[in-house]
Amino acid sequence: MATLLYRLGRTAFQRRWLVTLLWAVILGAVGVGAAKAPAASDDGTSFMPGIEAQKAFDLIGERFPGSDADGADARIVFVAPGGQRVTAAGHRAAVDTLVTEAAEEPQVASAVNPFEAGAVSKDGSTAYATVSYKVKADDLTDADRTALEAAVDKARASGLTVEVAGTALATQPAAGGSSEAIGIVLAAVVLLITFGSLAAAGLPLLTAVIGVGISMASIMALGSAFGLSLTTGTLATMLGLAVGIDYALFVVSRYREERAGGHAPREATALAVGTAGSAVVFAGLTVVIALAGLSVVGVPMLTKMGLCAAGAVVVAVLIALTLVPALLGMWPEAVLSRAARKAGRAARPADNGGSRWARFVLRRPVAVLVACVAGLGVLALPAAHLELGMPGDESKPVSSTERRAYDALADGFGAGFNGPLTIVADVRGAAGPKAAAQSIAREIGATRGVVSVSAPRFNEAGDTALFSAVPTAGPNTEDTKNLVRAIRAERAGLERETGATFEVTGSTAMNIDVAQALQDALVPYLAVIVLLALLLLLVVFRSVLVPVKAAFGFLLSVLAALGAVVAVFQWGWGAELLGVEQTGPIMSLMPIFLVGIVFGLAMDYEVFLVARMREAYVHGDRAPQAVVTGFRHSARVVVAAAVIMIAVFSGFVGAAESMIKTIGFGLAVAVLFDAFVVRMALVPAVLALLGDRAWWLPGWLDRLLPRVDVEGVGLTVPPVPAAGRVGGEPAQQEPARTEPART
């Protein structure tokens, strides 16, 4: 591996203009493909096949063709001023005018007047109108939204408080924009401080942006064929930028180190790719494993997101191995610090903060290990009380019209009104279909926790009935979850009595089912990626205990991060400091995202840090000294990479959307725990206690495993003196082969 990458790096350096041109052509080609490709359309794939709510939703689409269930909707809530009623003549006229104007718009399928539908609260203070569209929210034009907003503003002018919920005017949460820009700026500052050179700081940023551009353009070009969208590529953008900076950072750092050892630019580049590049390859493989493993969760959207992000990581690896050495060939001196350029060569690494910290841990390994495990263990305790859900309008800031509409409906009609359950009854096997449907509705209406049930509505064939049930409690409460279970528990008895069956769906039931399915999938997902990573790290480090230690440390950090998320966003500890206005269940997808992304980044840091220790050990250092050597060369760069990631993810904590805020906080604290507690403290403490046993491998397993030479044992190239150079570069030479000091 090291020898192959050595040759690749040297070739990229020599043919730097050709390599750069090839990447420019690739970027241009996928860019043109993205510009000419048709827009990606919804492929109709179920969000999570197999769960009851999804099967019921699909049944509704099959038995009620042409329904506007998939179209955008707007629930317009009217609240009369204090002491007044919406049924008063002036207020009623304003409501009627709004409904009439909305119904006249070409994309509107129906606009239901609250006074005709009985959608007025008992005290007459609140009413709501429902506007349904023929197209989905993404297909609404600006003119469609402007027309609805104008009608709402006119109603407000009458003195009514008017708020709008639903999908028609809702703003979709976005993880880009200023947050990403702030993250890139902070990354540039950290890189500049780390390297002391504008070129060295800019090179990782440039190559990372190029990689993300290629990945996103490819997703857009293939979107129509594979049902991909910009939303599918959100994770690809986030991780492509993260690992793209990290991988280039490690190659450039190793290049500067080899220059400090006296090597000429071409040889230093080849050695950097042969050594740090090997770590990049295997670090990238661990990230790909984590992302491809999302397919075991059973959510098609997550599978697509994971595979797209895995593709972005592969692009980042290829760029680090080819484009980065090519650019180093163009600016071989510019990436060195100013002091190194003045001195004519890079400074040789001396004792630094990393080595001093490693010696501190080596002197007190037990105390450091106990402190790390105890601290992370305490932080992880709240994770045992994790509750998953899909936060809705109730989690939005009170400044949003969706949140105010939610609160108004809860005050006027009850908390459960914001999360009605939809029941679809299949009465094909019943002797009397109508009687069977009415019997089911009556039985569900009598269930404890149900406020009201609507009259069954039949399809044209008369074999399927549809009705809704309003719970007493809100959509994300434990009482509503128990109600859904209770209604489903009645199914067997009702089927025996009526010959008909039913299923429960609607957004509330869908969120409950998705949360449960994802919670059930979390442990298998963890098991799959940890097992595959253990096998990969076993090959990389040729050790049994080092991979086990890596997996243990990752589990500690991710559980501690989940515990912190629960404490803040579910229990409300310090929530006001982060601007969290409403606590509640954690977004269902959050743990899966957290595990996948943090696992990839954690294994990145593990490979880069421990591979350098393994390299020192193989080349003759004693076990304790190998730890110090690894920290001397890699700690500063790992810390810089982690600070960049924390800065990028922390930028999303300021987002207004609870979902983005939660993801940003969770990822930031997870990287903080993993990089600074696990990798910087727990890892050296464990290695200090294990000593030579850390690198133990049974003989039979040693013979069975392939040898990949990540440590660069085959690359022992002495610095070439000036006399041996031709045109300022050393003569062509193959790396000398040496046998490893230890295996």
Side-chain angles (χ1 to χ4, degrees):
M1 172 69 77
T3 302
L4 176 64
L5 294 178
Y6 171 93
R7 292 171 178 167
L8 179 63
R10 189 175 63 184
T11 301
F13 184 98
Q14 291 173 323
R15 305 184 183 278
R16 45 192 173 272
W17 291 107
L18 177 61
V19 172
T20 305
L21 178 63
L22 286 175
W23 279 109
V25 169
I26 292 173
L27 179 59
V30 295
V32 171
K36 293 187 175 181
S41 59
D42 188 356
D43 59 3
T45 303
S46 300
F47 179 77
M48 181 173 273
I51 61 175
E52 177 175 326
Q54 184 67 62
K55 290 189 290 185
F57 186 81
D58 295 340
L59 181 63
I60 293 173
E62 175 188 338
R63 301 287 179 85
F64 291 85
S67 67
D68 56 0
D70 286 339
D73 69 287
R75 178 176 282 183
I76 306 170
V77 185
F78 308 92
V79 181
Q84 300 182 29
R85 300 171 67 89
V86 292
T87 52
H91 298 324
R92 181 164 187 151
V95 173
D96 289 340
T97 300
L98 185 150
V99 173
T100 301
E101 291 180 357
E104 292 173 351
E105 292 300 314
Q107 295 286 15
V108 173
S110 64
V112 181
N113 192 304
F115 306 114
E116 296 175 1
V120 181
S121 63
K122 291 181 179 179
D123 61 4
S125 65
T126 309
Y128 67 91
T130 303
V131 179
S132 301
Y133 288 83
K134 302 173 184 177
V135 297
K136 295 182 178 181
D138 291 341
D139 297 325
L140 289 177
T141 64
D142 291 339
D144 296 327
R145 293 188 173 91
T146 300
L148 181 59
E149 289 170 348
V152 168
D153 290 339
K154 187 182 296 185
R156 285 173 177 157
S158 70
L160 288 170
T161 298
V162 185
E163 306 295 349
V164 185
T167 59
L169 298 182
T171 55
Q172 296 300 317
S178 60
S179 295
E180 283 186 5
I182 292 172
I184 291 176
V185 171
L186 291 174
V189 172
V190 173
L191 288 169
L192 186 59
I193 294 173
T194 302
F195 285 135
S197 162
L198 283 173
L203 193 150
L205 290 174
L206 173 64
T207 55
V209 170
I210 291 173
V212 169
I214 291 173
S215 302
M216 290 307 298
S218 300
I219 291 171
M220 294 172 66
L222 300 173
S224 180
F226 295 97
L228 309 177
S229 64
L230 289 177
T231 302
T232 309
T234 300
L235 187 59
T237 301
M238 183 183 295
L239 270 185
L241 187 63
V243 301
I245 293 174
D246 278 4
Y247 296 163
L249 174 66
F250 281 104
V251 173
V252 173
S253 177
R254 188 59 184 257
Y255 167 81
R256 286 159 54 110
E257 186 181 321
E258 296 299 338
R259 289 294 304 277
H263 291 289
R266 182 175 61 190
E267 199 64 36
T269 302
L271 289 170
V273 176
T275 51
S278 298
V280 165
V281 169
F282 284 97
L285 281 176
T286 60
V287 182
V288 169
I289 287 172
L291 295 171
L294 288 171
S295 58
V296 307
V297 177
V299 181
M301 182 190 73
L302 270 183
T303 300
K304 292 178 182 179
M305 291 182 73
L307 294 178
C308 286
V313 172
V314 171
V315 171
V317 170
L318 294 176
I319 283 180
L321 299 179
T322 56
L323 183 58
V324 170
L327 295 179
L328 288 174
M330 294 181 183
W331 299 287
E333 307 299 328
V335 297
L336 303 179
S337 66
R338 181 179 301 178
R341 291 196 298 272
K342 287 182 178 179
R345 59 180 291 174
R348 182 177 293 274
D351 208 28
N352 54 27
S355 57
R356 288 191 291 272
W357 170 253
R359 292 192 184 97
F360 171 82
V361 175
L362 290 174
R363 289 194 297 269
R364 305 167 181 83
V366 175
V368 172
L369 179 61
V370 171
C372 291
V373 174
L376 293 177
V378 170
L379 289 170
L381 290 177
H385 303 279
L386 175 68
E387 294 180 11
L388 298 182
M390 193 62 71
D393 290 344
E394 78 281 3
S395 65
K396 294 183 177 180
V398 292
S399 58
S400 67
T401 186
E402 296 98 327
R403 169 64 183 275
R404 293 195 297 266
Y406 180 96
D407 292 340
L409 288 171
D411 293 339
F413 297 91
F417 192 81
N418 284 294
L421 306 175
T422 300
I423 291 90
V424 54
D426 187 346
V427 294
R428 287 182 301 181
K434 289 187 177 181
Q438 291 170 353
S439 177
I440 291 173
R442 188 168 52 251
E443 188 70 24
I444 290 176
T447 304
R448 183 178 180 182
V450 174
V451 175
S452 63
V453 173
S454 66
R457 176 169 64 92
F458 284 83
N459 62 346
E460 291 184 4
D463 60 1
T464 309
L466 199 63
F467 59 94
S468 62
V470 177
T472 304
N476 279 316
T477 62
E478 194 64 30
D479 289 341
T480 301
K481 294 179 183 178
N482 293 332
L483 174 61
V484 171
R485 298 188 189 101
I487 291 174
R488 288 171 174 169
E490 298 170 358
R491 182 162 41 214
L494 285 170
E495 186 174 1
R496 287 193 299 269
E497 294 176 10
T498 64
T501 187
F502 67 87
E503 292 175 325
V504 184
T505 187
S507 60
T508 299
M510 183 73 77
N511 291 340
I512 292 171
D513 289 355
V514 167
Q516 187 60 53
L518 289 174
Q519 194 162 352
D520 293 341
L522 184 58
V523 172
Y525 173 59
L526 261 175
V528 168
I529 63 173
V530 168
L531 178 61
L532 291 176
L534 282 174
L535 294 176
L536 183 62
L537 294 178
L538 188 65
V539 173
V540 173
F541 295 127
R542 306 194 70 79
S543 162
V544 173
L545 299 179
V546 169
V548 172
K549 176 264 306 169
F552 174 71
F554 159 71
L555 290 175
L556 269 180
S557 60
V558 80
L559 288 175
L562 280 175
V565 168
V566 170
V568 174
F569 292 91
Q570 190 173 305
W571 293 354
W573 293 3
E576 65 280 355
L577 299 177
L578 299 179
V580 179
E581 299 184 17
Q582 181 70 40
T583 59
I586 306 304
M587 186 187 69
S588 301
L589 296 176
M590 170 61 189
I592 296 290
F593 275 131
L594 184 70
V595 169
I597 296 175
V598 175
F599 180 83
L601 295 177
M603 293 304 105
D604 270 3
Y605 303 146
E606 176 76 13
V607 170
F608 285 123
L609 186 62
V610 181
R612 198 59 198 266
M613 299 177 191
R614 169 73 180 174
E615 179 181 338
Y617 184 76
V618 165
H619 284 90
D621 279 4
R622 295 178 57 83
Q625 182 57 39
V627 174
V628 175
T629 301
F631 267 79
R632 176 185 298 117
H633 291 290
S634 300
R636 186 182 183 189
V637 183
V638 169
V639 167
V643 170
I644 289 171
M645 292 304 101
I646 293 170
V648 170
F649 295 142
S650 296
F652 297 112
V653 177
E657 288 289 340
S658 175
M659 177 180 69
I660 296 177
K661 189 187 293 287
T662 307
I663 291 176
F665 175 81
L667 292 176
V669 297
V671 173
L672 175 68
F673 295 155
D674 194 87
F676 290 97
V677 179
V678 174
R679 308 304 153 192
M680 290 289 120
L682 187 144
V683 166
V686 171
L687 292 179
L689 292 173
L690 292 176
D692 290 331
R693 294 186 298 274
W695 310 108
W696 169 78
L697 186 70
W700 64 270
L701 190 55
D702 182 51
R703 292 187 294 272
L704 186 63
L705 292 177
R707 293 185 178 274
V708 293
D709 188 19
V710 177
E711 305 84 12
V713 172
L715 303 180
T716 305
V717 183
V720 179
R725 297 182 185 179
V726 180
E729 291 293 340
Q732 292 280 91
Q733 58 179 327
E734 287 290 326
R737 302 295 193 270
T738 62
E739 290 300 318
R742 301 183 180 91
T743 57

